[in-house]
Amino acid sequence: LGLVLLAFGGVAAGQDESSDTTGKAVPGGGLKAVVGIDGHYRVGRTTAVKLVDSDGNAVSQLDRRQIVIETLDGDGVRVRYGHYPSRADLTDAIDDGLSMEVGYVVPGSEAAPLEIRIPDADRDTERVLVKTRFPIQGIPSRGASMIAEQKPWVISIGDPLGVDKIGVSNVLLDKESSIAVTKITSAAVLPNESIGFAGVDLVMVNASGLPVLKDMNATQAEALSQWLRGGGRLFLCLGDSSEKIREAAPWLTGLLPIEDVVISRYDPAALETYTASQTPLAIFQGVRLPKGVGRVALMGRTTRRVSAVLAAEYTIGFGSISVVTADLDL
C-alpha cells in the first residue's frame, strides 16, 4: 500500500456520502443505460453511455448511426449527441458483443436527465428507448455513483491493494473510503475511447486482473494507451506473473523500456520498510527493471546481493507508469 501511495501522490480527504444510486429505465422497454465506467462518472467530464438489456447483456440489433442521446449541460440547456460510432473497428468490436457503447456525453449536473432515442419510421418522430437520470453522488463500492471532483478516482484492474480501504472507519459505519475505487471484473465495462477515462486519476493493474486483460479487445487497449500517453497515470505490478501479463497485454508491457521479461529473485528487506507486519517477508520474484532509466522509487538487492531496481516510474508521452517488481496482490 505504501508503494501505491508513493506512485499515486497526494490523497484528498473523503466525505460522508449517501448510499443512493441511479434511476431506472422506462418500464416495458427492457433496456437500461449504464453510464461511465461501471456506473461511475464525474460531472463535467466526458462520459460513456452504454445500452444493455434487462440481464445486463449488450444490445446489438440496433442501428447505432441513428441513436440520439440527450441530456442537460451545466447551464441547464438541452444537448443532443448523435451519429456514433463512425469508426469501423469500433463498430466491429460492438458487434462482437463486448459492449453496446452508443456514445459519449458530458453530464452537466448530478442526476442530470438522460434519454436515448431512435427514429420512429412510422410516425416521423423519435422513439424513446431509455429515459433515466445519471446517478447521484453515493458510495462507489455499493454501485452506480457520481464521484465528487475533490475525491481521487482509481480504476482497479485486479486487486485494489487496500486503496479502497483508505479512510474507512470501523466506528462510523457509513464512513466511506477517501478514494473512490472502481473494481473492474469484466472488460465489457471499460471504455472504447480514451475520452471515456476522463476524470480518472489512476489505473492499477496486477496479476489478479489477468482475466480482464485477456478479454480486452484492441480498441479498448488503444483507448487506455492513448489516455496514458495523454497524461494518465498507471500503477503496474510485474512480479512472478510478469510473463502472463505480457502474454495477455503485450500492448501494456510494450510501453516499458524492457526488451525481454527476465525474472529475478529478490531480497524483501527493502519492501519491508513499507509494511506494518512484524513477520518478515518471504523472498519474491519479479521482472528485472533496467538501471539508469526512468525515476527510481526504490532500490533493493537480489538474493545474490546484486543491487536492483524494485520500483520505478517511467514517462509515457505526457503520462507515467509506476512499476513494482512484485505481485503485491498475492
Side-chain angles (χ1 to χ4, degrees), residues 206-266:
N206 51 50
S208 300
L210 276 169
V212 174
L213 292 176
K214 290 178 181 178
D215 288 341
M216 289 176 65
N217 65 12
T219 304
Q220 291 174 315
E222 181 61 22
L224 183 54
S225 297
Q226 287 183 356
W227 169 79
L228 181 64
R229 293 190 182 98
R233 302 177 68 182
L234 189 141
F235 180 84
L236 176 63
C237 293
L238 288 179
D240 200 23
S241 303
S242 299
E243 184 61 32
K244 294 180 180 179
I245 290 179
R246 187 192 67 80
E247 293 175 356
W251 54 270
L252 178 57
T253 54
L255 296 172
L256 300 172
I258 303 175
E259 295 183 0
D260 298 306
V261 176
V262 178
I263 302 298
S264 299
R265 288 166 55 85
Y266 296 102

Side-chain angles (χ1 to χ4, degrees), residues 44-276:
R45 302 299 185 96
T46 307
T47 302
V49 177
K50 298 185 179 185
L51 193 62
V52 299
D53 61 21
S54 57
D55 295 324
N57 298 317
V59 179
S60 59
Q61 68 269 28
L62 298 174
D63 186 346
R64 298 157 196 81
R65 293 169 298 179
Q66 297 182 343
I67 290 176
V68 173
I69 309 173
E70 192 171 283
T71 186
L72 300 181
D73 66 12
D75 295 322
V77 178
R78 194 171 297 275
V79 182
R80 290 165 59 90
Y81 301 82
H83 300 291
Y84 179 91
S86 59
R87 287 174 46 187
D89 57 340
L90 180 54
T91 303
D92 292 341
I94 295 175
D95 287 337
D96 289 338
L98 182 61
S99 67
M100 178 50 180
E101 192 169 273
V102 295
Y104 288 84
V105 303
V106 180
S109 66
E110 177 183 9
L114 176 67
E115 290 189 13
I116 301 177
R117 302 185 184 134
I118 58 172
D120 191 326
D122 297 332
R123 302 182 180 179
D124 195 27
T125 57
E126 291 179 344
R127 179 163 61 92
V128 177
L129 294 179
V130 173
K131 185 175 183 179
T132 184
R133 287 184 176 274
F134 281 86
I136 67 171
Q137 181 175 328
I139 298 178
S141 61
R142 298 181 184 176
S145 170
M146 183 202 83
I147 295 175
E149 191 64 31
Q150 67 270 24
K151 173 174 283 193
W153 183 12
V154 174
I155 303 298
S156 175
I157 302 178
D159 195 305
L161 305 177
V163 173
D164 55 331
K165 304 299 182 184
I166 296 175
V168 175
S169 173
N170 293 326
V171 178
L172 302 175
L173 299 181
D174 61 343
K175 185 69 167 72
E176 174 63 359
S177 171
S178 56
I179 297 178
V181 177
T182 304
K183 301 178 184 178
I184 305 300
T185 58
S186 170
V189 305
L190 292 172
N192 289 320
E193 296 283 354
S194 60
I195 55 176
F197 289 95
V200 173
D201 295 294
L202 179 72
V203 173
M204 298 173 57
V205 179
N206 51 50
S208 300
L210 276 169
V212 174
L213 292 176
K214 290 178 181 178
D215 288 341
M216 289 176 65
N217 65 12
T219 304
Q220 291 174 315
E222 181 61 22
L224 183 54
S225 297
Q226 287 183 356
W227 169 79
L228 181 64
R229 293 190 182 98
R233 302 177 68 182
L234 189 141
F235 180 84
L236 176 63
C237 293
L238 288 179
D240 200 23
S241 303
S242 299
E243 184 61 32
K244 294 180 180 179
I245 290 179
R246 187 192 67 80
E247 293 175 356
W251 54 270
L252 178 57
T253 54
L255 296 172
L256 300 172
I258 303 175
E259 295 183 0
D260 298 306
V261 176
V262 178
I263 302 298
S264 299
R265 288 166 55 85
Y266 296 102
D267 185 323
L271 283 180
E272 289 177 344
T273 304
Y274 297 92
T275 65

